[in-house]
Amino acid sequence: RAANRHDGRMARGRKAPQLEVRTMTLPPPSPASPATTARILHASLAASAAVLTAVAWAFRGSLPLPDGAGGAVTFAAYALAASGLLAGLAFRRLIPERSASQPADAWWRQHLPKAVAVWAIGEGTVLVGALVLAVGGQPMAAVAVVLAGFGVLVATAPGRLVP
C-alpha cells in the first residue's frame, strides 16, 4: 500500500531522505586594470568614429546645403581640422611621460582623465568631418577633418602614451 502513495509521504518507519542545500558564493570580480580600461576606451572611441564616418560616406551629400553655403562649410571644415589637430596635440603635452620607476597602472590611474579628454577631441574632430561629408558631400574637406581627428587618436594611443 505504501508504494502506491503518491502524496510524497514514505511508508511508516522510514524517513524521507534529507537534501543538503549549499549556497555557493563567488568571489567578487576583480576590476580591470587602468591600462586595460584605457585600451578599451580608446578602441571604442576610434571604432565609433570609424563607423560613423562610414555611415556618413554612405549618405554623403544627402542633406543639401543652401545655395552659397558650400564655401563657408569648406572653410569651416578646414578650420576645424586645423584646430582639432592643434588642440589635441596641445593637450597631449599636458600628459607627462611615465618614469621608469612608476608602474603603468599607477600612471594610468593618475592620467587617464587627461587622455580621455584628448581622445574625445580626436573623436569629436572625426565626427565633425563625418557631418561635413553627410551634409555637404564635400569629400576633400571632410577627409581633411577626419584625418586630423584620426591623427590625434593615433598620436595619443595608449601604446604611445605609455611605451
Side-chain angles (χ1 to χ4, degrees), residues 58 119 159:
W119 298 336

Side-chain angles (χ1 to χ4, degrees), residues 8 13 18-19 27 29 40 42 91 113 126 129 132 148:
Q18 295 293 330
L19 296 176
I40 291 170
H42 183 268
F91 280 114
V126 172
V132 167

Side-chain angles (χ1 to χ4, degrees), residues 56 59-63 65 73 130-142:
F59 292 104
R60 66 186 177 274
S62 61
L63 302 171
L65 288 173
V73 170
L131 180 65
V132 167
L133 185 61
V135 170
Q138 301 170 353
M140 292 300 291

Side-chain angles (χ1 to χ4, degrees), residues 73-136:
V73 170
T74 302
F75 175 77
Y78 287 124
L80 286 169
S83 64
L85 185 62
L86 291 174
L89 297 179
F91 280 114
R92 163 59 181 102
R93 295 177 157 247
L94 297 176
I95 304 172
E97 297 291 325
R98 180 176 71 95
S99 65
S101 63
Q102 187 178 25
D105 282 346
W107 187 91
W108 276 114
R109 265 189 218 94
Q110 185 176 5
H111 300 291
L112 183 60
K114 294 175 192 172
V116 170
V118 173
W119 298 336
I121 291 171
E123 184 196 29
T125 304
V126 172
L127 296 181
V128 167
L131 180 65
V132 167
L133 185 61
V135 170

